[in-house]
Amino acid sequence: MAAEEYDDEDYDDVESDAGDVEQDIRAQRERGRRQLSRGRMAQLGDRIAGGASRPGEQQVTKSPFVLILVGAVLGVALLSGIFYYIIG
């Protein structure tokens, strides 16, 4: 009775299933790598912002909003200086 339950054919199925499991694991790892890979804009944002920090330890001067605001103010100041020079 036990010999009937565990035929040689069953072992072949188990071995082929083990190969399928390895392929599934490889495919899952690849999907995980693709999901974890970040885009260029996210990497640039991390560089500008300095990465993750705890509350209370953030630096306002590295905030992307503040940097854009300062850049805009400098651009407007430069343009106003050019117009003052041309008109004056």
Side-chain angles (χ1 to χ4, degrees):
M1 188 172 228
E4 293 174 4
E5 291 180 20
Y6 300 105
D7 293 346
D8 290 335
E9 296 171 6
D10 291 339
Y11 291 121
D12 292 337
D13 291 340
V14 172
E15 289 173 5
S16 65
D17 288 342
D20 293 339
V21 170
E22 289 176 16
Q23 288 177 352
D24 291 342
I25 290 172
R26 283 190 205 119
Q28 188 175 9
R29 282 184 187 156
E30 185 61 33
R31 274 186 263 137
R33 282 191 193 111
R34 277 184 280 159
Q35 288 176 353
L36 290 176
S37 67
R38 302 191 56 179
R40 292 178 193 238
M41 291 302 290
Q43 291 174 353
L44 179 64
D46 284 345
R47 267 194 228 149
I48 290 173
S53 60
R54 295 180 179 150
E57 292 182 359
Q58 294 106 342
Q59 295 179 346
V60 176
T61 55
K62 288 189 174 185
S63 168
F65 177 73
V66 171
L67 292 174
I68 290 171
L69 192 61
V70 168
V73 167
L74 290 176
V76 168
L78 180 67
L79 284 175
S80 65
I82 291 171
F83 283 128
Y84 179 76
Y85 177 75
I86 291 174
I87 293 174

